[in-house]
Amino acid sequence: MKKPNPILTVLSAASIGFLIGVSFPLRIAPTVVFPFSLGDGNCIVSGRNILARFSTPFGNSTSTAEGTPVLQQSNATSDSETAPLEKTKPKGAERLPPNIVVRESDLHMRRLWGHPREDTPPRKYLLVLTVGYSDRDNVNAMVHKFSDNFDVMLFHYDGRTTEWDEFEWSKQAIHVSARKQAKWWYAKRFMHPSIVAPYEYVFLWDHDLGVETFDAEEYIKIVKKHGLEISQPGLDIVRGVKSFDINVRRNDTEIHTSTSAGKCSTIDVHQRPCSGFVEVMAPVLTREAWSCVWHMIQNDLVHGWGLDWNFWRCVDEPEQQIGVVDAQYVAHHEGFTLGNKDNDTVDGSRRKVRLRSSAEFGMLKARLYNADRAQAAALLAKSNAAPPS
């Protein structure tokens, strides 16, 4: 009996396999199973999905992330259909799958052990103070007026951080050290809205406030009750100083949003600083208001003078949503303290620091004026260019 030709046998088998493949098309994506998983509490990636990023051209992705919806995308999806998905990604994350992108963070410290889901969550509120070690006694008294619902961050202008560990609360605080900088310099660089997003309210306070009569939790109840987006405690001028009449504590109200006292008796009460005004000294802002204020802070204007005159831009109704809380008040002990007070002629003297602060006020005013004009001109041009309805 004649033996079959081996070459013909191979060719015949290949032909039959090809015909079967054409009749029953299947999509095959590579799958590798590993006996482990990786996770961070928000996302669990199993060994089965390790090659998912490489298998995309071969079929639909069915990988999942714990607590995250599955995004299915067909090979036939048009560019116009994927465009909205791409627009949701922040700049820099374009190459990442949407379900892995984390836009926000917080200032809450976490353990280096255990499961991430068992860590304590970020606090509800954030207290931020700019301090030097010589201020420690008053700062310690201030922090004790804030409950465990607050994360605490200290900006150190004197470079001394570890010494604060004499206070137990300091061991759980965030410490940022940069010598001889002002509060708003730190705030612009270390309080991006995406970092403070988890916190309902941000207290950005000076270090020299007397808080003997203050209770932070009661304060928050009041601002929530009255819908204040930006606020400050009233100032006790018996124990401290004031800069503006509107910020002085009243004895007959829970809050107030305007005043006709002092210089405000001779000007329009609806103008700043007679209504809708709190100082840069001790503002309390919702996260939404803070996001707006952060974008208004200028990189090169480190003192923040003039920001308070423009807080109104960051709320819908300044005379209703910006106010002073009289029922919870503090004393501002020292007033202007930046710079060396011993010699007014040297660089870094208190006099020269104050001169720069005043100059920055004028610069911010000019920039906002020019920005308002440019925006108005752009809107007018757009309106003129629109076809008639």
Side-chain angles (χ1 to χ4, degrees):
M1 184 176 192
K2 189 176 179 179
K3 293 183 178 180
N5 189 320
I7 295 177
L8 292 176
T9 302
V10 171
L11 291 175
S12 299
S15 300
I16 293 171
F18 174 76
L19 291 173
I20 293 174
V22 171
S23 301
F24 304 98
L26 293 175
R27 289 187 175 185
I28 302 175
T31 300
V32 178
V33 179
F34 294 99
F36 61 82
S37 65
L38 302 173
D40 65 353
N42 294 320
C43 179
I44 301 296
V45 181
S46 68
R48 181 175 298 275
N49 299 317
I50 291 296
L51 295 185
R53 62 179 294 184
F54 302 109
S55 66
T56 302
F58 302 97
N60 295 342
S61 171
T62 56
S63 62
T64 62
E66 184 179 40
T68 309
V70 178
L71 293 179
Q72 301 267 355
Q73 181 175 334
S74 170
N75 288 343
T77 302
S78 66
D79 291 340
S80 61
E81 290 174 323
T82 61
L85 182 62
E86 293 301 320
K87 289 181 180 179
T88 64
K89 298 180 185 178
K91 184 178 180 181
E94 295 85 356
R95 292 181 176 86
L96 298 175
N99 286 1
I100 201 64
V101 174
V102 179
R103 298 168 179 269
E104 299 173 350
S105 187
D106 55 67
L107 292 162
H108 186 66
M109 292 200 294
R110 296 179 180 272
R111 307 171 305 169
L112 302 182
W113 64 93
H115 197 287
R117 282 182 297 185
E118 297 173 355
D119 292 346
T120 58
R123 309 305 188 206
K124 295 174 64 176
Y125 318 117
L126 178 65
L127 170 66
V128 182
L129 302 170
T130 304
V131 304
Y133 188 59
S134 61
D135 311 318
R136 61 189 179 279
D137 290 337
N138 194 67
V139 170
N140 181 50
M142 291 176 68
V143 171
H144 277 93
K145 291 292 183 174
F146 292 81
S147 71
D148 290 339
N149 284 327
F150 285 81
D151 277 330
V152 178
M153 179 163 61
L154 301 184
F155 295 143
H156 298 270
Y157 58 74
D158 61 356
R160 301 178 68 178
T161 58
T162 56
E163 293 92 335
W164 287 82
D165 280 354
E166 66 182 86
F167 304 115
E168 192 63 30
W169 56 263
S170 174
K171 298 174 184 178
Q172 298 300 318
I174 300 296
H175 298 266
V176 177
S177 178
R179 292 178 180 272
K180 297 182 179 180
Q181 298 302 313
K183 175 169 73 173
W184 296 94
W185 181 93
Y186 295 106
K188 184 64 173 179
R189 286 151 182 84
F190 301 104
M191 294 180 64
H192 188 275
S194 65
I195 300 298
V196 302
Y199 304 104
E200 293 181 35
Y201 291 90
V202 176
F203 289 63
L204 184 55
W205 282 15
D206 287 357
H207 65 272
D208 57 346
L209 301 179
V211 292
E212 293 84 355
T213 59
F214 183 79
D215 184 303
E217 290 288 347
E218 291 300 316
Y219 183 94
I220 289 174
K221 290 179 183 178
I222 294 172
V223 297
K224 286 183 176 181
K225 172 183 174 182
H226 293 278
L228 297 180
E229 293 286 311
I230 304 176
S231 63
Q232 73 162 78
L235 296 181
D236 180 356
I237 57 174
V238 175
R239 297 182 295 124
V241 298
K242 64 154 184 162
S243 296
F244 301 97
D245 291 299
I246 190 173
N247 305 127
V248 176
R249 180 216 178 196
R250 295 182 185 174
N251 295 317
D252 58 345
T253 59
E254 192 168 53
I255 71 160
H256 68 272
T257 59
S258 63
T259 186
S260 58
K263 294 180 180 179
C264 291
S265 63
T266 60
I267 62 176
D268 184 358
V269 71
H270 299 292
Q271 295 182 359
R272 257 66 57 191
C274 300
S275 68
F277 183 87
V278 303
E279 291 184 77
V280 292
M281 166 198 63
V284 179
L285 308 99
T286 63
R287 57 180 152 232
E288 293 81 11
W290 172 249
S291 180
C292 173
V293 170
W294 183 90
H295 284 90
M296 187 166 54
I297 302 171
Q298 307 291 288
N299 266 346
D300 57 333
L301 307 185
V302 298
H303 291 290
W305 280 30
L307 287 174
D308 40 12
W309 288 72
N310 290 279
F311 282 162
W312 62 270
R313 297 172 182 268
C314 292
V315 300
D316 295 326
E317 299 290 342
E319 293 189 25
Q320 298 177 23
Q321 296 172 307
I322 300 178
V324 178
V325 177
D326 300 298
Q328 291 293 325
Y329 56 97
V330 298
H332 193 197
H333 289 317
E334 300 181 47
F336 194 89
T337 60
L338 296 177
N340 188 331
K341 62 182 180 180
D342 296 328
N343 188 341
D344 284 346
T345 62
V346 301
D347 289 343
S349 68
R350 185 162 297 179
R351 174 179 172 273
K352 289 192 174 183
V353 171
R354 193 174 188 96
L355 285 174
R356 171 161 177 163
S357 301
S358 299
E360 286 189 3
F361 193 168
M363 293 177 193
L364 179 64
K365 185 177 181 180
R367 291 180 190 182
L368 284 166
Y369 174 77
N370 291 332
D372 284 338
R373 289 189 64 188
Q375 178 175 255
L379 291 173
L380 180 61
K382 183 177 179 180
S383 176
N384 292 336
S389 56

